[in-house]
Amino acid sequence: MPFLHCSSVESKTQRPDNNTLLPPDDDGDDDGDDDRIVKSKFEIKIAASSATRRQLSTKAQQKRSSTTFRHRDNHRQHQHATPTSHPILRLFLQSLQHTLLKPRSLPLPRYISPQHYSFTLSEVFGHSSFILVAASYATQDFLELRVMAVLGSTSMLFFTYFHPHGRVLWLPLKWNLLFIAINSYRVGKVLFDRFMADGLCEDLKEFREEHLNVVDVVDWYKLVRISEEEVFEEGDLVLQQGRANHFIRIVLEGELEVLRDGTLTYVVEKGNFVSESGLHAGLMLTGSIESCGTIVCGPPFDPTDSQNNNNNNNNATTQNHHRRDNRVRCLRWNRDKLMELLENDKGLRNALQAALSWDIVRKLKMQRKMLSEGRVKNPTVWTKKREDQGISRYASILQNIMLRHPEEFGDMSEVLTKYRRIHHVGDEDHERALAKCGWTEEEFRVGKRHDVEDDEDIEDEEFESARWRRVKRYSSKVVRSLLQ
């Protein structure tokens, strides 16, 4: 037995294991190098094992954190999506979710496609939203555009709440709720305006169809809403020459006579505007404008009266007895309120400018009618008074711009040029109008008077007031554009 024991020990000594570390040998340098190589391999193995443990611990920590956040998000989503305080609502949402997220197959014939396509109703709502948005680009009606916007946002609302991935997309859902609220307000406002427009009296509806067919019914209601009705009897004075005028009028019934220095220049009939002062050309003037003529409610003109008076005075007395009185009805707008409405409603402004352009054509035809009917006694004097009246009207417009809109003079220069082309205001007439206002050509080009040029305090006050007026006007436009 001892012999066997020694032999086993000897065998172990002769055939050492690869992992066994032997003591260093003093025989040579080769044995020392082998020992250093073994040590380095051992250290590399230890470092690799520690790095592996660190990676495993990092992955486990990330998995735990992601699981925690997912559970927290699911809990929060469950709280918002299915409120526990309303079991009926929770049951309804669950049934709706099951209906919208249930996979459905699209039955396509095999000769079209051998594959089976599946979809959910939630995805149908998502596609419908984009289809409605694309269709809204092709419509021109304001109400149809808003209705499509509401339907598209509502479809997207269902898609974001019952998303196919199972999570509620709160960010687009809240934005779509805001869009639905804004567009629903606009749809309700349009329907309310149409309802109120249908409530107008029949004579105003017939008047619009006959004389202002380029103006929409709702726009006509907006104009009537801020207007006041006036009634003049025969012999009443409507406006005095040289007086400040704050109003724009339109004749609903009867006719008015316009006089320049006591000479009849033209007649305003039913459907004609009075004192528009360049609004047809785009001049948005506020405040008062000096009247270039006297407007009176004269007797109705009958071309047979003079012939009957020459033939028989008794017959003339009988005709005067049966003659109807001239009763004039007008709608009157305050210029400031009207310009504010037109500034905020571009569509109404364009329609009203078109109506005013047709009104100028009608007035020109009326002047020819006056000549043919014999209402003009002296054509030479009549032509001279009309020219003076046109220059006085242009001077009143310049005076209003220089005094009330000096900060907008540069923007209105193009509109003034357009007005001069329409009414054939030449350079000589322009200089005469400037002289009537007390301005020179140089002051007109600069845009301010020389007598106030050296007063720095007045300039600072005018600059501050003009700047704040522009800020208030811009801010009001932004707010109204958000609500319109």
Side-chain angles (χ1 to χ4, degrees), residues 57-86:
S57 62
T58 304
K59 290 182 178 179
Q61 185 177 2
Q62 291 178 354
K63 185 176 181 181
R64 286 195 300 272
S65 61
S66 63
T67 305
T68 303
F69 286 130
R70 185 169 63 252
H71 286 309
R72 187 183 303 169
D73 190 17
N74 292 335
H75 178 68
R76 186 183 305 165
Q77 177 181 351
H78 179 74
Q79 283 184 344
H80 288 283
T82 57
T84 57
S85 59
H86 299 84

Side-chain angles (χ1 to χ4, degrees), residues 212-458:
L212 299 175
N213 54 359
V214 295
V215 180
D216 187 69
V217 179
V218 176
D219 294 337
W220 175 237
Y221 159 72
K222 294 177 182 179
L223 291 173
V224 174
R225 183 177 56 184
I226 63 171
S227 66
E228 300 176 358
E229 185 173 344
E230 292 179 322
V231 178
F232 299 100
E233 300 295 338
E234 185 175 325
D236 291 344
L237 177 65
V238 180
L239 194 60
Q240 181 68 38
Q241 178 178 337
R243 298 288 182 86
N245 179 27
H246 295 79
F247 305 103
I248 298 176
R249 294 176 173 88
I250 186 172
V251 180
L252 299 177
E253 179 185 348
E255 65 177 24
L256 297 173
E257 295 181 353
V258 182
L259 309 174
R260 175 68 181 179
D261 298 330
T263 302
L264 179 65
T265 54
Y266 62 93
V267 176
V268 180
E269 293 183 318
K270 179 180 179 181
N272 288 138
F273 287 87
V274 182
S275 305
E276 64 274 13
S277 300
L279 182 58
H280 61 280
L283 289 173
M284 310 290 290
L285 304 180
T286 58
S288 61
I289 296 179
E290 182 180 340
S291 177
C292 60
T294 301
I295 304 176
V296 296
C297 181
F301 176 74
D302 189 359
T304 61
D305 282 346
S306 58
Q307 298 177 0
N308 292 332
N309 287 329
N310 293 329
N311 295 330
N312 194 341
N313 293 330
N314 295 328
N315 293 334
T317 305
T318 305
Q319 289 179 0
N320 290 331
H321 178 72
H322 295 287
R323 181 178 61 86
R324 61 179 180 84
D325 294 333
N326 184 20
R327 183 176 181 270
V328 179
R329 290 175 56 231
C330 297
L331 284 182
R332 183 182 72 177
W333 292 279
N334 184 284
R335 189 176 293 273
D336 295 337
K337 293 182 179 180
L338 181 60
M339 297 306 158
E340 182 180 1
L341 176 62
L342 297 180
E343 286 284 349
N344 299 324
D345 196 335
K346 186 177 181 180
L348 175 58
R349 180 175 59 189
N350 295 333
L352 186 59
Q353 288 181 359
L356 288 169
S357 299
W358 282 107
D359 180 66
I360 293 177
V361 176
R362 292 184 58 198
K363 289 178 180 177
L364 293 176
K365 292 182 177 179
M366 184 60 194
Q367 292 179 354
R368 295 180 181 178
K369 184 179 178 181
M370 291 173 59
L371 290 172
S372 62
E373 291 179 349
R375 302 185 71 171
V376 177
K377 304 301 181 183
N378 191 340
T380 304
V381 177
W382 175 71
T383 303
K384 181 66 170 59
K385 293 299 180 183
R386 283 196 308 112
E387 292 177 356
D388 294 342
Q389 191 173 14
I391 296 174
S392 178
R393 184 186 299 110
Y394 179 67
S396 301
I397 292 174
L398 289 178
Q399 187 175 9
N400 179 275
I401 294 175
M402 298 297 187
L403 296 179
R404 296 186 176 272
H405 309 277
E407 71 280 358
E408 300 177 1
F409 178 77
D411 299 333
M412 289 187 176
S413 60
E414 297 182 359
V415 185
L416 277 175
T417 304
K418 179 180 178 181
Y419 179 88
R420 290 179 59 181
R421 286 199 304 265
I422 294 174
H423 295 275
H424 303 284
V425 179
D427 294 337
E428 296 181 358
D429 298 334
H430 176 67
E431 294 177 359
R432 289 172 58 189
L434 288 177
K436 187 176 183 299
C437 296
W439 286 64
T440 62
E441 184 67 25
E442 182 181 357
E443 292 174 344
F444 176 76
R445 286 195 299 266
V446 175
K448 59 183 177 180
R449 298 285 297 273
H450 291 312
D451 52 356
V452 297
E453 187 175 353
D454 297 331
D455 197 344
E456 297 180 356
D457 296 334
I458 295 178

